[in-house]
Structures are given as C-alpha cells and as structure tokens.
Amino acid sequence: MKRWLNPRSALGITLITAALVALPFVVAMGGQAWVRIVNFAILYIFLALGLNIVVGFAGLLDLGYIAFYAVGAYTWALLASPHFGLHWPIWAILPIGAGLACVAGVLLGSPTLKLRGDYLAIVTLGFGEIVRIFMNNLNAPVNITNGPQGITLIDPVAFGAFKFSGNSQIFGFTISGPQKYYFLLVALAVIVVIINLRLQNSRIGRAWQAIREDEIAAKAVGINTRNIKLLAFAMGASFGGVAGGIFAAMQGFVSPESFSLIESVMILAMVVLGGMGHIPGVILGAVLLTFLPEVLRYGVGPLQMAVFGKMLVDPESLRMLVFGLALVLVMRFKPAGLWPSPERKRELTGGA
Amino acid sequence: MDIFLQQIINGLVQGSIYALVALGYTMVYGIMGLINFAHGEVVMIGTLVTITVAGSLIKVGMPVALAGLAGLTASVLVCMALGWGLERIAYRPLRNAPRLTPLITAIGMSIILQNVAMIVWGRNYLTFPHLLPKIDFEIAGANFTAIQLLIVLVSGMTMAGLAFLVYRTKLGMAMRATAQNPQVAGLMGVNSNRVISAAFVIGSALAALAGVMVGTYYEIAHYQMGFMLGLKAFTAAVLGGIGNLAGAMAGGILLGIIEALGAGYIGDLTGGFLGSHYQDIFAFVVLIVVLMFRPSGLFGEKTGDRA
Amino acid sequence: MGALLEARAVAKHFGGVKALRDVSLSIREGEIYGLIGPNGAGKTTFFNCLTGLYVPDGGGFEFSGAPLQANAPHQAAERGIARTFQNIRLFANMTALENVMVGRHVRTRAGVLGAMLQTRATREEEAAIRQRAEALLHYVRIEDKADDLAKNLSYGDQRRLEIARALATEPRLLCLDEPAAGMNATETEELRELIEGIRKDGTTILLIEHDVKLVMGLCDRVAVLDYGALVIEDVPAVVQKDQRVIEAYLGA
C-alpha cells in the first residue's frame, strides 16, 4: 500500500480544499447567478463521471444517458412536490430515483448490449427520445408528468429542518441557497471521483478494460462480458438518477425540455472531449463545456454590439456552433481528447 | 375499413420519403460502414434552399411550376455539394480511425449544420410555397391528393433510376465491389475515394429530393426538421437490412405504414391511454426490436461484424 | 486415468463447408494431447467449439463428467478450460502484469460494492491477485517485463504471456493453438520445456501444432484431422507410420 499523505500531497490537498471552500464566496461577489453556474459545472462533472463508467471504462457509446437523469429528476419531482401532494424525505427519494434509473438501465441494456458500438449508440438515442416523448405526453388521460408544462414547486433538498433553499446563518455567516447546494454537490462529486478511481483499479475495472481491448479474449479468460457490460450500464444509470434528483430539487422545476437529445450529446462530449476514461480529463471537459456558453453569452454578445452595433448571430446558436465544431476538430486532431490518460492516448493514436 | 385504407395511403406517402432518405444512409453504410448522422440535416438544407429559391422566384413573378423546378434544381445542387464537402472535410481524414470517432464527428457535423441553418433561416417555422395545385381524389372512401400521388410516383421512379445506376453501370459496379471488399476493389483498379464521394453525392441528391417532397407535403419547414426524419430513415435502413438498397426502399415504405397504422390505432389498442402523439415512438420501438431480434434486417444477409 | 474431455460427434459447418464432421475424441487426465492436420483441416474450429466461441451444429462435449454448455465461453473457462489463440489475442494496451491479473477474474469474486468501499476482503483479494499474477509471470520467465505493455513485448514473450494469462484461470485443460508458430529453434525448445513443466504441475494439455517434430516428441497421444474428419487417434509412433496420415500431409 502506498501512503499518499506525504508532506507534498498533504499540502496539495489542503490547498485544493481551501480553494474549493473559498470558491462559492469568491464567485458570489459577481452575483449568486455565478454560484449557480458553478453548481451546474459540478453537477455536470458528476454526470460526466457517471457516464465515464459506461463510455470511458466499458467502452459502450451511450447516447441516451440523459434518460436516466430524467428518471431521477421526475422521481424526485413526483415524490416531493404538490403535484401529487407527496413530500417524501431525501433518504427515501434519492435511492428510489437511483434504483429506478438502474432498472431502466438494465431493461435497456440487457437486450441491446450485444450490439456493436454504433448500433448501440443509435438504440440508446432512440430510448432517450422515447422517455422524453412519454414525459411530454403522460398528462392525459391520467396526469402523471403534467406534460410539456412540467412540474413546479418541487421541494428543495432538506435534512430534517435544514433546507438547502434560501439563506441560512451558520457561525454568524450568511450562506445562500446556491452556496449550500454547492457544498452538497462538491461532496457528491468527491464521492463519484473516489468511486471512479477505485473502480478503475479493481477486478471489475480491469474486466471492463479487457472487454474494450479484445472482447473475444476477455470471454476466453472467463469474463461474462454481457453481465460486466450490464454492470457498467446500470452503474452509469444510477449515477444519472442521483444527479437528476439533485437537479430537480435545486431547480425546483422540471420539464421534458431539460432532457433533450442535445443534453445527452453534451454530456457525452464532456467525456469524449476531455479524455475518455481519464478522470481529470472528464472533469476538464465538464468544466469547459459548462462555462463555454456563459463566456459566449457574456463575451460575444456585447462584443458584437460594440463592433457591429447589432446582434448578428445570437449567442445560443453560436454556442451550439462552437460546440459542434469542437467535436469535429477534437475528433480530427486529438481523438483521445484534450487531456487523455496516457494509455488511452496510445490506444487511440496507435491505429487499429 | 376506410380508416385503414386511408392510413395505408398516408403511410405509403410518408414511407416513400423515408425510403429516399434511407437510401443515402444505406449506401454510405454499405460502402464504408459509417452511420452518417448528418444525413437528416442534408434533407433539411434541401427543403430550406427550395423555400428560398422558389419563394423568391415566385415573388418576382416567375410562373410557379418553373420556380418550383428551379428550386428543386438548386436544392439538389446545393445538397450534392454539401454531401461531397461533408465526406471530404469531415469523414475522409478519419477513414482508418476507430469507428466511434467518425460517429462523434457525424454528430458534430449535424449540430453545425442545424445551427448554420438557424443563423441563415432563423428560428421560426417557414412556409413552403404552394408549388402544386390542390386536387383531391377518392377511392373506396379514402382520400388522397395529387401531391401524395406525385410523391409516390417520383420516388418510385427515382429508386428505379438508382437501381439502374447501381446494377447496370460501371460506377455502380465499382460501388458494389467496394462495399464487398475495399482492398480487393482497390487492387482491381477501383478508386475508392471516388466511389465514396459518389455515394455521398448521390445520397445527398436523393435527400434534396426528399426535402422538396417533405416541404410540399407538410408545407412548413424548420431548421430542426432533419433530425427526426433522419433518425426514422436510418431506422428504415436498418429495418430493410443496412447496406441493402432494395431493403432500404422496402424498409422505408414499411416503416411509413407501421407508423401510420400505429398512430391510427394506438388509441383503440390502449383503450385511449396513449394517443396519436406517440407516433414518433413507433420508429424507435421498431428500431430496437429489429436490432434485438434480427440485426441484419428483414432483407439483409447474415453477415458477421466487420469491425 | 479417466477421460477429462470427451468430444462426441462434434459437427460444425459454415454454409456448405463442413469444417468438422462428427469428430469424436477423448483426452485423458494428465496427458499432452496433440491435434494436427493440414491447413484448413478444422483444428481451430474444434478449439472454438470446445471453448464456446462457436456453437457446434451437432454433437457436444463432456468435461470431467458433465456436459459443457455451448456458446458460453466464460463458463468453459469457469469449468477449467483455458486457451491461447493462434494469432495471439492479448489486451494490447494493458501491462503484462495486468493481462495476467485479468486472467484471475474467473477465480475471484470482488464486486462493485467491494471496490467502491475498499473492504478488507477486497483489498486482500486484490493483493492475492497481484501476487499470483507476479508468480505466474515468473513461472513463464517474463517477470522482468511485468510493467511493459503487452503490445511492446517480443513475439516469443507475447506467446508466454498468453500462456501465463491462461494459467491464471487455473485450468484443468490448457488448449494451446499453434504456440510454436513463428518461433526459432531455441524458442521452440524453451517452449517445449515450459509445456512439459505445466503438465508436470498437473494440467492436461491439448496442443494444436504445425511443427510435427515438436508434436511427436512432446505428445502422449496424437489425433489427426483432415477435411474436418478424424483420421486417427493414437500414440505418436503409430500415427507417424499411418498411411492415411502420410497421404493427408502429402495431399494425395
């Protein structure tokens, strides 16, 4: 066993912790809106690392990941809002959401995981769309999802009487709702990073890598490839479910619009652009792709006004354009991602 | 019974359009094993170009029929150039990459095309100019229009033309040879770059034609219209056995009919629980079921994984 | 000693080509059993049926007294059948040590939960896996290459690594598909020693090999396949003199 608490890494961990604690208070100087953006970045890190298990570790291209996020979000929304008049506590809803997402993952995965990569991508995409279509339409004849209007007034995360919405006083400090969520999200993200790390260097993680490398040889050494792939799929789905629940609680509102295909593509892009299977790379990808639209919104809009005197291109379509270009260019010039793991880089640039 | 017949007619029309688009997927997949995700966007560009060209020609007083023809020609040319450029710029450099790389590139190109279209044509729905007079026919209680008749006839003729091209010309032989075995075809003197370019260009021309049909049929267009259409056409290609031209045609028409019948009867089947707005689900269910139970498609040969 | 493996009328065809025609043979516990025949005789097809990669069209296998399930490669490994591949299939971007550690998969149990919580049982098992893998690398004498990527090993070392990975599954029957292909005389001799050592340590061996000299010198019994059919199954001395075998090899 390596002891990692030598003085240098201890200093590093202290500095990172201090920075993470200070961050929400520093960005709050620019307004709570920025804290919310940071929160979304962390939520996306969480989601991207969940998908990383499926795509990065097991090598399964999942284009319907957002469906599991949606299952988690709607589970929370239905069990903790006035829509059905239910207000269940977090320790009940979050596991239910994760469990339902996991079941959905197994249901989708068990018949389809034998398909080869690009077919699997299309089937999962189709599944994501099916889930969204149901959410859009399950408001009649029995109103389950409230259709395109979505569900509002969703309960925030709460532990007993301590609510994560609104301001609280802690040690004489005033801490805002988004700042509280920030700490919750950081805690979750740290957990998912640790889980990713531990899985990667485990018996199961090696089996995933073996399947990615050579599925026939993996079978020949006794790996039940179908089950091991299904395991990755189910785990990714459960993480999606948890993230969805937190999303619903944080926003207080869900509607099918939040779960469109482009969101799936966006999360996949975080994993792929950052560096499949490489945890720091995936984090980088998530952060970049969350902040890019904000930069474009605050930077390019005013810039156009200043230079041309009017808005030529609206920032939203510019953002998507840049995003599409980034996908194409990275695949062309850095197919292993911006910050690949050393071994994945060899894998993807070494041909075959 | 007349509802049944009516839905069959509707399905046939919609299915002819799917079939034209599916041919583009199937040709490219058959020859290079790539799912050209951006193919649906080519259809969308085809529709929007026609709107601009035909619309503005009508506005300056050109006869409708002539303007429509000019619009069609322009859209076919633009789409052919687009298809050629797509392959040249985005896919060709990735010819030997692992297969997920071009797939992600294709998704990226699809996003780029959608947003370029949005910048050029705007966010709103556009009306397609009336190119054909409205004439209704009636058979056994089911109605159909001249437009519907024309769509079925033109796609039928186009597909016959394509079949001739593929099975009776030198280019077609080169395409089939490359699909069988690119290396050997290369050794026999087939220029695989030209064959692949040809597949993209021909597929895009068919997509443009399909785009004009969609526009005339539904009379509206939108920068996001290509995506769902593309996905369904891909499903049609898989249903017929991807890589198989006749299969793509049959798959397209079959999918159109399944959708139309499904939408017509789903209310009765589920006791009113699910309504016709679930129409889009059928394509995906068909896709999943086919890939699960008969991944080589209804008319495909059983082939191993080429990867 | 009793039969470890019984093949009963195993048949396999690809379209019209009959790759295996009702092949029946029996391998005894503890022997080195050679399977030879000209190119395309069906040797590798037999391997693939045995290890579950192909489903036979007729017949089946019985392994240590119980039938083998067709089309379940991972179960074949679990029952104790391990194999190497004619064209070497290693996990190219994993290190030599990791390749062997993957081989321990079927004999270990740690699941996702154990890995996430890093329970004591998981940590102990992980240490045992590593230790066993290191020992196996030592056994095939490539312990100094433990941290090299499999694809960077020399050809001979890749063959050894593939054997180590197969041994990691604790097989009762080790199937080697042309292990000496492409090896020079010294390497072949070292391989012969290795195979004999493995047998001495209690593993039965099924060997496909082109090098007739190696097979005749090493095997206790030899079976000859030609056009998918079993020609003869006997001790090397008899097989070598059999007229049908000579004809098959000369292509008469």
Side-chain angles (χ1 to χ4, degrees):
Chain A
M1 289 295 290
K2 275 178 286 186
R3 298 260 59 128
W4 43 270
L5 265 183
N6 63 41
R8 260 186 71 180
S9 21
L11 180 69
I13 288 171
T14 316
L15 284 178
I16 291 172
T17 312
L20 282 177
V21 170
L23 186 66
F25 302 102
V26 175
V27 294
M29 289 181 226
Q32 291 295 321
W34 281 102
V35 184
R36 287 200 185 89
I37 293 169
V38 170
N39 284 353
F40 267 99
I42 303 170
L43 190 65
Y44 277 122
I45 290 175
F46 185 89
L47 267 177
L49 284 173
L51 183 61
N52 183 48
I53 296 174
V54 184
V55 180
F57 290 172
L60 304 165
L61 194 59
D62 182 355
L63 276 177
Y65 191 58
I66 206 71
F68 307 120
Y69 183 61
V71 168
Y74 268 86
T75 305
W76 187 296
L78 295 177
L79 295 181
S81 75
H83 184 63
F84 287 149
L86 296 173
H87 297 280
W88 290 14
I90 179 169
W91 49 261
I93 316 173
L94 219 49
I96 292 176
L100 285 177
C102 179
V103 168
V106 171
L107 283 182
L108 172 66
S110 49
T112 54
L113 282 176
K114 62 176 185 202
L115 299 173
R116 64 170 176 242
D118 42 9
Y119 276 13
L120 179 69
I122 302 283
V123 170
T124 50
L125 185 159
F127 173 76
E129 286 296 292
I130 289 177
V131 168
R132 196 177 58 85
I133 291 170
F134 268 97
M135 280 165 184
N136 246 325
N137 294 304
L138 277 181
N139 52 345
V142 186
N143 186 358
I144 301 171
T145 62
N146 207 26
Q149 286 85 32
I151 295 170
T152 52
L153 299 172
I154 298 169
D155 298 348
V157 175
F159 293 107
F162 183 81
K163 283 197 165 65
F164 277 70
S165 58
N167 291 340
S168 305
Q169 299 288 330
I170 295 174
F171 308 125
F173 270 111
T174 305
I175 178 165
S176 70
Q179 285 168 337
K180 281 182 280 182
Y181 274 112
Y182 168 86
F183 287 106
L184 178 68
L185 287 163
V186 167
L188 285 173
V190 168
I191 291 173
V192 76
V193 167
I194 292 173
I195 288 177
N196 261 265
L197 278 172
R198 287 183 167 180
L199 281 178
Q200 193 168 26
N201 299 312
S202 71
R203 170 174 174 265
I204 302 293
R206 276 193 301 273
W208 283 330
Q209 197 186 347
I211 292 173
R212 227 168 59 211
E213 294 273 336
D214 187 332
E215 188 158 348
I216 288 177
K219 281 180 184 167
V221 292
I223 294 172
N224 185 339
T225 52
R226 189 174 152 277
N227 285 0
I228 294 284
K229 283 181 182 178
L230 202 53
L231 189 62
F233 217 67
M235 288 202 64
S238 316
F239 281 115
V242 172
I246 302 292
F247 169 76
M250 197 162 84
Q251 293 285 91
F253 166 71
V254 293
S255 77
E257 223 172 89
S258 308
F259 309 108
S260 61
L261 170 75
I262 199 68
E263 289 289 320
S264 277
V265 173
M266 190 74 86
I267 298 163
L268 179 70
M270 291 169 181
V271 177
V272 171
L273 296 188
M276 273 187 274
H278 189 225
I279 295 158
V282 173
I283 295 176
L284 174 75
V287 171
L288 276 183
L289 284 183
T290 322
F291 281 102
L292 178 73
E294 305 306 325
V295 170
L296 289 176
R297 183 173 349 195
Y298 290 101
V300 178
L303 187 74
Q304 286 189 56
M305 294 302 274
V307 177
F308 304 108
K310 56 175 180 175
M311 284 291 228
L312 288 180
V313 177
D314 94 278
E316 169 59 20
S317 61
L318 194 67
R319 164 197 162 203
M320 291 310 294
L321 205 58
V322 170
F323 172 57
L325 267 178
L327 280 182
V328 173
L329 292 178
V330 170
M331 282 302 108
R332 172 78 177 81
F333 296 106
K334 281 183 87 67
L338 297 173
W339 189 0
S341 68
E343 58 196 63
R344 200 53 181 266
K345 190 173 177 179
R346 284 189 297 262
E347 210 171 302
L348 283 171
T349 50
Chain B
M1 198 55 205
D2 47 345
I3 292 182
F4 181 76
L5 193 61
Q6 184 70 58
Q7 293 297 52
I8 293 276
I9 292 175
N10 293 346
L12 194 63
V13 175
Q14 185 66 58
S16 307
I17 298 174
Y18 290 156
L20 280 183
V21 185
L23 284 169
Y25 279 105
T26 235
M27 271 196 288
V28 167
Y29 193 94
I31 290 174
M32 56 189 293
L34 164 77
I35 299 177
N36 177 16
F37 232 103
H39 192 58
E41 315 314 333
V42 178
V43 180
M44 173 269 294
I45 299 277
T47 315
L48 295 180
V49 166
T50 315
I51 290 182
T52 303
V53 173
S56 38
L57 287 178
I58 290 172
K59 213 176 275 171
V60 298
M62 190 183 267
V64 173
L66 215 56
L69 215 56
L72 174 66
T73 315
S75 113
V76 168
L77 290 178
V78 168
C79 287
M80 284 166 85
L82 181 62
W84 182 82
L86 258 181
E87 191 274 326
R88 211 46 239 276
I89 298 166
Y91 302 138
R92 189 171 296 182
L94 305 175
R95 200 71 62 76
N96 296 316
R99 58 196 310 151
L100 296 188
T101 310
L103 187 66
I104 292 169
T105 300
I107 295 172
M109 288 312 301
S110 172
I111 294 172
I112 292 175
L113 288 177
Q114 272 191 28
N115 286 279
V116 167
M118 183 173 121
I119 292 169
V120 175
W121 282 283
R123 243 173 220 288
N124 300 320
Y125 281 88
L126 303 172
T127 20
F128 199 86
H130 292 285
L131 299 178
L132 290 168
K134 280 213 186 287
I135 308 170
D136 287 348
F137 301 90
E138 195 190 314
I139 297 180
N143 294 304
F144 61 96
T145 62
I147 294 174
Q148 289 183 313
L149 189 66
L150 204 63
I151 287 177
V152 175
L153 286 180
V154 170
S155 37
M157 275 159 23
T158 313
M159 289 188 258
L162 184 74
F164 176 81
L165 178 88
V166 170
Y167 291 102
R168 287 284 179 275
T169 66
K170 219 178 139 192
L171 174 66
M173 190 152 71
M175 288 170 84
R176 282 181 292 137
T178 310
Q180 285 290 323
N181 188 329
Q183 278 86 30
V184 175
L187 289 175
M188 297 296 124
V190 174
N191 180 340
S192 67
N193 281 340
R194 274 185 53 193
V195 166
I196 290 172
S197 284
F200 270 89
V201 168
I202 296 169
S204 302
L206 298 180
L209 190 60
V212 176
M213 288 178 177
V214 175
T216 359
Y217 191 36
Y218 292 107
E219 300 177 346
I220 52 168
H222 186 236
Y223 75 98
Q224 283 179 329
M225 63 181 269
F227 175 73
M228 192 57 94
L229 182 64
L231 213 55
K232 289 183 180 174
F234 174 77
T235 303
V238 170
L239 180 61
I242 194 150
N244 178 333
L245 293 181
M249 302 177 199
I253 288 170
L254 197 57
L255 182 66
I257 290 174
I258 292 174
E259 257 191 14
L261 289 181
Y265 289 100
I266 186 172
D268 298 342
L269 287 176
T270 58
F273 185 71
L274 300 177
S276 60
H277 34 255
Y278 286 94
Q279 184 179 359
D280 287 344
I281 281 184
F282 294 106
F284 296 123
V285 172
V286 166
L287 179 68
I288 293 176
V289 169
V290 171
L291 285 178
M292 265 166 61
F293 295 107
R294 222 188 132 79
S296 54
L298 296 180
F299 311 101
E301 301 141 45
K302 259 195 128 78
T303 49
D305 191 344
R306 248 207 290 179
Chain C
M1 273 187 268
L4 179 64
L5 179 83
E6 287 281 359
R8 295 219 175 91
V10 177
K12 177 77 192 170
H13 49 79
F14 299 102
V17 183
K18 291 199 164 117
L20 289 178
R21 305 162 189 248
D22 298 338
V23 175
S24 298
L25 47 81
S26 127
I27 300 175
R28 296 172 194 151
E29 186 99 52
E31 72 179 343
I32 300 182
Y33 188 99
L35 186 60
I36 62 171
N39 275 329
K43 301 177 303 263
T44 298
T45 305
F46 182 81
F47 255 42
N48 286 342
C49 288
L50 170 61
T51 51
L53 291 177
Y54 290 166
V55 184
D57 295 307
F61 297 93
E62 193 166 286
F63 185 69
S64 72
L68 271 181
Q69 200 189 323
N71 195 23
H74 64 275
Q75 280 182 5
E78 206 175 314
R79 291 282 301 278
I81 300 175
R83 70 170 293 176
T84 65
F85 292 87
Q86 191 177 341
N87 44 349
I88 307 185
R89 303 188 82 128
L90 289 167
F91 306 120
N93 293 291
M94 297 170 86
T95 66
L97 185 68
E98 284 169 340
N99 266 274
V100 185
M101 288 170 82
V102 172
R104 293 298 297 154
H105 183 92
V106 73
R107 300 290 167 229
T108 44
R109 320 179 29 91
V112 161
L113 218 59
M116 290 193 318
L117 302 174
Q118 288 287 303
T119 55
R120 170 181 282 268
T122 304
R123 277 179 286 143
E124 281 171 2
E125 186 183 272
E126 185 72 11
I129 291 174
R130 178 173 290 271
Q131 209 172 14
R132 181 65 183 265
E134 280 165 353
L136 281 164
L137 284 180
H138 184 78
Y139 186 82
V140 300
R141 300 205 209 110
I142 52 171
E143 67 275 17
D144 53 325
K145 308 275 180 7
D147 295 326
D148 292 8
L149 290 187
K151 67 177 177 194
N152 294 338
L153 296 183
S154 73
Y155 186 77
D157 287 348
Q158 289 192 355
R159 287 261 178 230
R160 286 168 176 275
L161 177 56
E162 213 188 8
I163 293 174
R165 186 181 69 188
L167 287 175
T169 66
E170 293 173 27
R172 295 181 63 192
L173 177 67
L174 176 64
C175 308
L176 302 172
D177 197 347
E178 298 201 18
M183 284 188 170
N184 63 32
T186 340
E187 285 171 327
T188 308
E189 180 51 30
E190 285 170 2
L191 180 73
R192 203 182 60 78
E193 284 166 21
L194 180 63
I195 294 175
E196 277 190 329
I198 294 171
R199 187 257 296 268
K200 214 167 282 162
D201 293 334
T203 306
T204 310
I205 289 168
L206 168 60
L207 176 71
I208 291 184
E209 190 45 72
H210 258 306
D211 187 333
V212 177
K213 216 178 86 201
L214 178 71
V215 173
M216 296 303 176
L218 193 58
C219 296
D220 303 305
R221 289 190 310 142
V222 175
V224 182
L225 283 183
D226 191 29
Y227 291 110
L230 184 73
V231 177
I232 186 174
E233 179 190 30
D234 213 319
V235 294
V238 176
V239 170
Q240 260 170 318
K241 293 202 184 84
D242 191 275
Q243 195 57 37
R244 290 165 300 175
V245 176
I246 295 165
E247 272 169 18
Y249 266 89
L250 294 177

